[in-house]
Amino acid sequence: MGILLIITLISHVFRDHLDIINIGLIHIIPVVIVAIHGNTKATIFITILSVIFFNFLYIPPLYSFKVHNELYVWSFVIFGIVGWIITIQAKNLYTQTKQNEMRESLLNIISHDLRTPLSTIIGTTNLLLYNSNLDEKSTKNLLEDVNYASMRMKRLITNILDSTRLSNGGINLKFDWCDFEDIVGVALEEFSDKQKDELLDIKIEDFRLFWGDNVLLKQLIINLLDNAFKYSINNTKVTLDILDLNDTLRIAVFNQSSHIDETKLKNIFDKFYRLEDSNDISGSGIGLSICKSIVGIHGGEIKASAVNKGILIEAILPIIKKANLI
C-alpha cells in the first residue's frame, strides 16, 4: 500500500513528463512486489487498487471511472495477468524451497540419527560373535543394547514414513473403539525394561472405550513418551496420565528437564524443530509434529508448558462418540 501511494504520488507530480505507458508500467511495480510473496488474495487486492488509481487519475476522462478506449481495458487485464503469473511462480518456488529444506533435513536424519543406532547394532553384534568369553549377564546386557538400538531405528523410520503420509494425506483412518490400557501396553513394548519399569509412572483412569484410530493413538503415546525420556534429566521419573473429563480425554506427559524456554516451547510441534542446547540428544524433530497431526485428525488440541522445573505436554481429545456397554 505504501509503495502504491508513493508511486501514485510521484506519477501524479511528473505526469506531464511521462506518457501513459510509462505510468502504467510504474503502477505494475506494487503488483509485482506483492505477487512475489505468493499470496493470491493480497495480489488481487493490490491489483484492483492499482487499476483504480491508474484509471481514476490517468485514463481519460480524468477523475472518473469511465473508459472510452478499449486499449485501456486491456491494460487493466495485463495488470491482473502479470500478478497472476508471478504469484503462481512464487508459490512454485516456495514449494520447491520447502521440499529442498525437507530433503536436506531428512538426509541429516539418515546420516546422523540412523547411523548412531546402526553403529551400536554392528559393534555389539561383532562383540557377541567374536568374544566367546562373555558370561550370561554380559551377553544379556549386550543383547538388550542391540534390542534398544533396533527399536530406536524402528521408531525413527516409522516417524519419517508417518510424517510423509500425514503431510500428503496418505493415511487411511480406521476409527474403532479403543482401550487406552491396551494402547499403552502395546506402546511400552517399544521401550527398554529400565525405562518402562523404573523411570515411568502411569495413571490411567478407568473409563469407557474411546472412538479413534488405534494405530495412530498408539503412535501418539510412543512419540510423547520417547520425547519425554530423551529430554528428561537422568534417572528422573516420567509421568503419563490419561484422564476422562466427561466430554474430553486428557493425555498428559511430564518430565523434568534442563531444556526449558517457555518462549520457544510453542515451536516444539513444528516439523524438524529441536530445542536449543540439545545437540547431544538424538532425534529427528518430527515426533511431536506427528503428535500434533494425530491429535488434529481426532479434532483435538495439543500444547506444551513449563511447570515444576519440567515440560508438560497435554493432548486434549474430544469424546465424539460414547460406547453403550452392557
Side-chain angles (χ1 to χ4, degrees):
M1 286 292 294
I3 294 173
L4 176 59
L5 291 174
I6 292 172
I7 284 175
T8 302
L9 179 62
I10 293 174
S11 299
H12 206 60
V13 171
F14 296 98
R15 60 185 303 170
D16 294 334
H17 305 282
L18 297 172
D19 56 39
I20 195 67
I21 295 177
N22 292 329
I23 294 175
L25 291 173
I26 291 173
H27 276 72
I28 291 180
I29 292 175
V31 177
V32 172
I33 292 174
V34 174
I36 286 174
H37 293 84
N39 190 320
T40 304
K41 291 182 179 179
T43 303
I44 293 173
F45 176 72
I46 202 70
T47 300
I48 293 173
L49 280 184
S50 295
V51 168
I52 290 174
F53 283 23
F54 182 61
N55 181 26
F56 187 77
L57 295 175
Y58 307 108
I59 301 300
L62 299 181
Y63 310 119
S64 74
F65 294 105
K66 296 180 180 179
V67 180
H68 292 166
N69 192 327
E70 65 179 12
L71 291 177
Y72 295 131
V73 176
W74 281 107
S75 67
F76 303 155
V77 174
I78 290 172
F79 272 61
I81 292 174
V82 169
W84 178 76
I85 292 174
I86 296 175
T87 301
I88 296 300
Q89 293 299 321
K91 283 186 174 181
N92 291 339
L93 181 60
Y94 176 79
T95 301
Q96 185 176 357
T97 301
K98 295 299 290 184
Q99 289 176 344
N100 290 337
E101 290 176 355
M102 184 172 293
R103 288 194 193 100
E104 185 177 349
S105 298
L106 287 174
L107 285 174
N108 290 335
I109 294 169
I110 294 171
S111 63
H112 178 267
D113 294 328
L114 280 179
R115 186 169 54 187
T116 301
L118 184 59
S119 299
T120 299
I121 293 171
I122 294 173
T124 306
T125 303
N126 286 334
L127 186 60
L128 288 167
L129 288 173
Y130 299 109
N131 193 334
S132 58
N133 298 322
L134 292 172
D135 56 32
E136 184 177 347
K137 182 178 180 181
S138 298
T139 301
K140 182 181 179 182
N141 290 336
L142 291 173
L143 288 173
E144 287 180 351
D145 290 341
V146 172
N147 185 51
Y148 180 64
S150 301
M151 289 189 296
R152 282 180 58 194
M153 287 187 64
K154 178 187 174 184
R155 285 199 295 271
L156 182 56
I157 294 171
T158 299
N159 279 338
I160 293 173
L161 294 175
D162 285 349
S163 177
T164 303
R165 287 195 286 256
L166 285 166
S167 298
N168 298 332
I171 289 184
N172 295 321
L173 299 178
K174 297 179 180 179
F175 282 78
D176 203 347
W177 293 114
C178 304
D179 186 337
F180 262 96
E181 288 190 1
D182 290 341
I183 289 175
V184 172
V186 174
L188 291 181
E189 294 177 3
E190 298 287 325
F191 300 94
S192 67
D193 291 339
K194 180 179 180 180
Q195 286 175 316
K196 58 189 179 185
D197 294 338
E198 301 178 18
L199 302 179
L200 180 62
D201 282 338
I202 301 175
K203 178 184 177 183
I204 303 179
E205 188 175 281
D206 185 19
F207 58 86
R208 52 187 174 263
L209 299 176
F210 181 80
W211 182 255
D213 188 301
N214 188 81
V215 175
L216 292 181
L217 292 173
K218 181 194 75 173
Q219 194 61 38
L220 171 66
I221 299 297
I222 290 173
N223 285 357
L224 289 175
L225 290 178
D226 184 45
N227 181 80
F229 282 129
K230 285 190 297 189
Y231 284 94
S232 63
I233 299 173
N234 288 339
N235 298 319
T236 58
K237 290 277 189 176
V238 169
T239 61
L240 168 64
D241 293 336
I242 302 179
L243 304 175
D244 182 358
L245 303 179
N246 194 26
D247 293 326
T248 58
L249 179 75
R250 177 179 178 265
I251 302 173
V253 177
F254 173 79
N255 65 280
Q256 293 184 3
S257 176
S258 56
H259 302 278
I260 300 175
D261 187 336
E262 294 188 52
T263 61
K264 297 178 181 178
L265 283 180
K266 62 182 180 181
N267 299 320
I268 68 173
F269 299 106
D270 296 341
K271 189 177 293 185
F272 302 122
Y273 181 83
R274 285 166 57 83
L275 294 174
E276 295 181 358
D277 302 324
S278 61
N279 293 329
D280 58 330
I281 299 175
S282 64
S284 59
I286 59 177
L288 290 182
S289 70
I290 292 174
C291 290
K292 182 178 180 180
S293 297
I294 293 173
V295 172
I297 287 173
H298 287 83
E301 297 180 350
I302 190 169
K303 63 179 181 178
S305 54
V307 295
N308 298 328
K309 299 181 180 179
I311 298 175
L312 174 67
I313 296 181
E314 296 176 282
I316 306 297
L317 304 175
I319 299 175
I320 59 176
K321 194 173 182 180
K322 297 181 180 181
N324 295 321
L325 300 179
I326 299 176

